[in-house]
Structures are given as structure tokens and as C-alpha cells.
Amino acid sequence: MTSLSQERLSRDAPEWRNTTIAIEAFKKAQLHPDKVAIFLEDEPDATYGSIAEEALKLIAALHALGLQQGDVISFQLPNWREGAVIDIAAAALGLVVNPIVPIYRDAELRFILSDAASKLIFIPDQHRSIDYVDMISRLRPELPNLETVVTVRAEAEYPGAIRYEQLTDCEPAAQAGLPSVDPNSVKCRLYTSGTTGFPKAVLHSHNTLIRILDNTSDHSGTNSSDVMIMPSPITHITGYSSGLNLPFIRDGRSALMERWNADKCIDFIHRVGGTMTVGATPFLQELLDAAERRGDSLPSMRVFSCGGAAVPPALVLRAYEVLANCRTVRVYGSTEAPIITLGWLNDAQLAATTDGHAYGYEVRIVDENGDEVADGTDGEITARGSGMFLGYADPDQNTEAHTSDGFFHTGDIGRRTAEGAILITDRKKDIIIRGGENISAKEIEDCLHLHPDIKEAAVVSMPHERLGEGVCVFLILHPESARLVQEDIAAFTEAQGLARQKIPERVELVEDLPRTPSGKVRKDRLRKQLSDPSSGS
């Protein structure tokens, strides 16, 4: 860890509460053992008491396995209540929890588990189209640190793995015997797509994660009657924070959706009295479509925070018409600096046309020399705040990611308006945001360059009606190569182990690519060509 991270670990921000989710979860269980903490769709809701009891059993089991403070344990699970139990147990023992997106396949999983040196992973046996046991079995010979594989909700026993239900069939640990855990120590290791093609390990502490919730909850005035509907994966910073952590850190409860379906979401909102949610643009679009079709204004909903991808102003204004009491706002942030801006709850026009105002963060918009630009002028957005990450695990990634006084380079271009709003206008980072999921263009390019017929590949975002952005690749083939079509590229990239959302949905064969004088591909021109075909390349 870099000196920057060490400074952040040792400093004492006045906003930090200096506690852990485990401490707070056990307090809630003592005060409200029978109160629902997390509502669930198709199984009994999880109470504070039941989660705490299960966490204490898991603590005893993890301790018996010999795990020590600072060890990394991973989970690659859908939005199941076990995620909350794992998170609390890890926090109580001072373990670092590493959530992994369930759609990740061999290539991503191999890198993450190796980079994190994970000692244990929780997985389903099978879920949707992925056989997780088979995938881990293929990768395990390459992962010497991975000592234990735990299957969750598995219908059978598998060689080399232990069932979660068997693991937690033990006497619970005594709260009095739990170790002391520094709230400034690393609690969570989340991976985000990097422009280099390799995911970056983002480190958050107990204090920074709690501060994220304090910022958002203070802004929206969360109280004990609030229920956070959470369709986003609990393995993303949004779902992890607002789905798993919120019920134990703030007064509200959460409601986990295992799979997004707008009609089921409406039914769920009515059953649990849902009042708020945080989600990407497709969730809002499809929720409004379903609500209009059903003639349902969802009167219990009061805040929809929409971000993670471009949010059309017209969509926000439509939400104000369709949802009776709900204030829909645009928000902006990243895994490194979650929820930098929050939208105006009392101004529909500003909520629709801007990405909100800085809340809990200082924001500077700077030019290429690092000098602050005037309001109304585009520049790179940099931010600093007590909810920001500690740093990347890789020391080499931290120097260029931060200014000398601790502002984080977001890689996004924007401007500050006269009202103090932040408006995102472009992107420096070579990533694609597909339905709120960050995808590294270079990772896909590196994979495609392994194809014997491909001379050069340039991957860019393209407009996508539902997901905001899709994946397009411009290909230059070797002179004697056979013509390649999208089906060929899809089969090749899937065979290389890339997650399916990274497979190019459109293939353009070209003889050359637009370039700068130094030879760098002008991806801005390629994106413009896709959004406006008359512009040419």
C-alpha cells in the first residue's frame, strides 16, 4: 500500500464514526431481534436477530479454519441474504471481504482471486447459465492461496468444497471474545474495470463505507420507516452499500431483488412499503414503463437516485409525472468515490438536467495542467471526501490517480454551472458503461488481438436503447484473412472466458482507423460515427 493510503488510514476525519458494521449489527440485534432487517422476495424476510445469530456461527467457523485479520475472503453470489451474514462475520474478525460480480467468468475470476490472494470463496453451485463449481474447479490449480471453497444453497455435495449450511452448523462465537478491529483498516476490496485492461483493486475501510451511507441518508432524510429497494448486485458498490450495509448502519431497512423484473419490483414495493432506491437508467426506464402500463403511481416511493450511466433529462421529468410522490434525481460517483453528487430533491428541472451538487465531497474541475477552470468550462472532475476510498491495492496505480493534496482524478469530464451543479459531458477513461456496469475497452481489445485473423481492434461504446451503451468493435483484418462477423467474434471472446456482457454486439470491418498525428486511435471519432453515421470516420 502506498504512502498516500497510509496517510488516509492514519488520519482521523471528524465525520467518521469509528465503528464497524459488525458492532452496529449486534447492537441492532439486541435492540430489535424480531424486526425485519432485509426484505426478501421469495423466502422469509431476514430479521436482525436471525442475521446476527447466523453471523456468529459463521464467525466461529471462519475462526476454526484459521483465518486471520487482514486475510481476504471472496463471495460471488446473487442478491441473497447470506451476503449480509458473510459481510458482518468478516467485519467482526477483521477479514477483508471481496465481492465479485456473479456474471464474471474464468478470465475475470482468475485475475481477481489471484490478485487478492483470496483464501476462501463463497459461490452458488449453479445459478442461471453459470456452473460456478465447475469454473472454480478449472481455476483452482492456478490459485495456490485459495484454501476453501464454500457452496451456498447447493443441492449436492461437491469434492473439494464444503456446503455453507454444513459450515454454519456449529456453536455460535461469543460476542465478548471477538477481536478488536480498527475501523480504519481495510474492510472491502472491490474490483473496477481499468483502462489498462486489468481490474483495479479499490480499498475501502469500515469508516469510509459508513460515511457513504451517512452522506446519502442525511441528504434524503432516511428514517426507520424507509425501505431501500435494491435490484443492483450486492457485489457492486451500490448494492453492497445500500443493500447489505444500510440496514445495520442507518435506521432504514433494505429489500433485495435477486433478478430485475419491473413488474415484480412493483409488487415488491407494495408488499414491503418501498420508499427509495438507487439504480442505473434501465431500472428507471422499465419501472416507469411498467407503472404506466399498470396505472400505478407507486405512492410509497419518495426517492429514486439514478446514476451509473447517462440519464436522459426527459426520463427524469417523466418520472415526476408517473410516480406520485417520488423525487427522481441524477447522482454521480464511482467505486473509488461513491456518490460524489446528489440531486436536487426540491427542483425537478435541476434534478433532470444536471448530475446534482457535491455532497460530502469537495469537487475541483481542472484543466490538463491541474489548474481549476472557471464555472461553465469543461475540465476533468476531481474530488476529495471522507467517503472516498483509501487507495488502490497496487501502489503504482495511486500516484497518477490522485493530486498531491489528495483529490481523486475521476477520469470524467464535466463543468460546474452557475447554480453549483455538476454536469458530466464526456469521459477520459477508455471504458464502456453498459447498464451501470463498467467495461474495460482494452481488456476486450487484448482478447481480440489473440485472434489470428485480427490485425488491430478498437473497442468503443455505442448507443444502446435499453442499457445506455453497448460494445462495438472496429476491426482491421490481416490481408489474407476470411471475413469475420459478429457471431465469430462472440464465439471467440466467450471461448477466451470473458463475461458475456463484454462480448461485442456490433462488428465493423475497416481498412484503417482515424488517428492522431502520433498514431493513437481517435475513439471519439469512432463513437461519433456510431451515434451519427453521416459523420464518417
Side-chain angles (χ1 to χ4, degrees):
M1 194 173 297
T2 69
S3 59
L4 172 69
S5 297
Q6 293 290 2
E7 289 169 10
R8 288 188 56 75
L9 281 165
S10 62
R11 76 184 179 92
D12 184 19
E15 304 93 341
W16 285 345
R17 287 208 252 153
N18 293 312
T19 186
T20 72
I21 190 174
I23 291 171
E24 300 307 311
F26 294 136
K27 285 181 183 176
K28 287 279 186 81
Q30 190 171 23
L31 291 171
H32 311 290
D34 299 322
K35 184 177 180 179
V36 172
I38 300 175
F39 292 98
L40 303 164
E41 287 184 283
D42 301 316
E43 58 185 295
D45 299 324
T47 64
Y48 287 107
S50 65
I51 289 177
E53 182 180 4
E54 192 170 324
L56 288 168
K57 290 182 178 180
L58 183 56
I59 288 167
L62 295 177
H63 179 71
L65 289 173
L67 291 162
Q68 303 291 322
Q69 285 200 32
D71 286 345
V72 178
I73 64 171
S74 303
F75 69 83
Q76 190 179 24
L77 297 174
N79 284 12
W80 291 348
R81 62 168 179 78
E82 287 88 349
V85 176
I86 294 165
D87 191 56
I88 292 167
L93 288 172
L95 306 176
V96 178
V97 70
N98 165 228
I100 302 174
V101 181
I103 55 177
Y104 280 0
R105 305 291 288 269
D106 297 52
E108 298 91 354
L109 196 60
R110 178 187 296 108
F111 176 84
I112 290 172
L113 292 177
S114 177
D115 187 69
S118 292
K119 292 195 171 181
L120 179 150
I121 187 170
F122 296 89
I123 56 170
D125 54 355
Q126 296 185 10
H127 190 255
R128 298 193 191 181
S129 63
I130 300 178
D131 186 328
Y132 292 90
V133 172
D134 186 52
M135 182 164 59
I136 284 291
S137 297
R138 289 195 301 270
L139 297 177
R140 203 164 182 181
E142 305 173 52
L143 302 169
N145 292 298
L146 188 62
E147 299 170 354
T148 308
V149 174
V150 181
T151 56
V152 180
R153 304 190 184 188
E155 296 182 359
E157 294 191 10
Y158 297 91
I162 183 171
R163 296 175 68 239
Y164 175 87
E165 295 75 12
Q166 180 183 353
L167 185 68
T168 54
D169 184 17
C170 61
E171 290 296 314
Q175 288 187 44
L178 296 179
S180 175
V181 175
D182 181 0
N184 287 333
S185 63
V186 177
K187 174 186 188 286
C188 183
R189 185 182 181 113
L190 284 158
Y191 282 80
T192 185
S193 291
T195 56
T196 62
F198 295 104
K200 293 181 178 180
V202 176
L203 306 179
H204 273 284
S205 72
H206 304 262
N207 270 327
T208 61
L209 289 166
I210 289 172
R211 189 60 209 166
I212 296 165
L213 287 170
D214 284 346
N215 281 342
T216 55
S217 298
D218 290 346
H219 173 262
S220 56
T222 306
N223 58 55
S224 59
S225 65
D226 279 312
V227 176
M228 173 69 74
I229 302 294
M230 189 41 59
S232 298
I234 58 173
T235 48
H236 276 191
I237 188 65
T238 298
Y240 178 75
S241 179
S242 295
L244 295 190
N245 290 353
L246 182 143
F248 309 100
I249 299 302
R250 299 292 298 198
D251 290 333
R253 280 90 47 82
S254 67
L256 298 181
M257 292 191 68
E258 183 176 331
R259 186 169 189 170
W260 169 249
N261 176 283
D263 283 295
K264 288 186 176 181
C265 182
I266 290 175
D267 295 338
F268 199 28
I269 287 170
H270 286 306
R271 178 171 78 80
V272 304
T275 61
M276 51 182 52
T277 190
V278 185
T281 307
F283 295 144
L284 177 58
Q285 175 74 59
E286 293 172 18
L287 184 68
L288 295 179
D289 290 345
E292 280 194 313
R293 186 178 66 251
R294 294 167 58 147
D296 192 333
S297 63
L298 301 179
S300 68
M301 289 293 293
R302 67 181 189 85
V303 180
F304 193 123
S305 299
C306 191
V311 187
L315 183 63
V316 176
L317 293 174
R318 180 184 168 210
Y320 274 79
E321 296 175 359
V322 175
L323 307 179
N325 304 312
C326 189
R327 305 300 86 182
T328 299
V329 298
R330 287 160 57 172
V331 298
Y332 164 69
S334 65
T335 304
E336 295 92 336
I339 313 294
I340 295 170
T341 67
L342 290 160
W344 273 266
L345 295 172
N346 57 358
D347 191 318
Q349 195 63 30
L350 281 174
T353 58
T354 75
D355 293 289
H357 54 93
Y359 196 95
Y361 286 85
E362 302 170 73
V363 170
R364 287 182 193 162
I365 300 178
V366 301
D367 61 20
E368 291 184 358
N369 297 320
D371 297 322
E372 201 160 0
V373 301
D375 287 355
T377 303
D378 280 1
E380 184 182 4
I381 297 168
T382 66
R384 180 175 68 183
S386 50
M388 196 168 80
F389 73 140
L390 302 174
Y392 296 114
D394 183 346
D396 295 334
Q397 294 171 342
N398 281 318
T399 302
E400 65 179 24
H402 299 84
T403 64
S404 59
D405 54 352
F407 279 76
F408 171 64
H409 287 285
T410 66
D412 292 308
I413 305 298
R415 65 179 72 119
R416 196 191 312 268
T417 71
E419 299 88 356
I422 303 297
L423 181 63
I424 313 302
T425 58
D426 202 355
R427 187 182 305 147
K428 284 179 67 176
K429 296 177 290 188
D430 194 12
I431 60 172
I432 299 158
I433 303 179
R434 183 180 185 273
E437 181 83 33
N438 284 6
I439 296 172
S440 167
K442 188 175 186 301
E443 180 185 12
I444 304 171
E445 290 166 354
D446 288 346
C447 173
L448 290 171
H449 285 144
L450 299 173
H451 195 293
D453 293 332
I454 294 175
K455 181 179 180 181
E456 187 172 2
V459 172
V460 297
S461 64
M462 67 178 185
H464 191 293
E465 184 177 355
R466 176 174 177 265
L467 300 172
E469 293 181 357
V471 180
C472 175
V473 60
F474 288 80
L475 294 177
I476 300 174
L477 302 181
H478 290 294
E480 305 302 321
S481 298
R483 182 180 180 85
L484 296 175
V485 296
Q486 191 276 334
E487 289 78 8
D488 300 322
I489 296 302
F492 179 78
T493 49
E494 186 165 10
Q496 295 298 312
L498 283 188
R500 288 181 179 175
Q501 86 274 16
K502 299 179 182 180
I503 294 174
E505 300 150 280
R506 177 173 171 177
V507 174
E508 293 287 332
L509 300 181
V510 295
E511 293 184 0
D512 200 3
L513 295 163
R515 303 176 192 274
T516 65
S518 64
K520 184 177 180 181
V521 176
R522 289 287 304 271
K523 290 193 173 184
D524 57 332
R525 291 189 180 179
L526 296 178
R527 286 190 292 267
K528 186 176 182 182
Q529 179 182 336
L530 293 170
S531 60
D532 179 13
S534 65
S535 66
S537 60

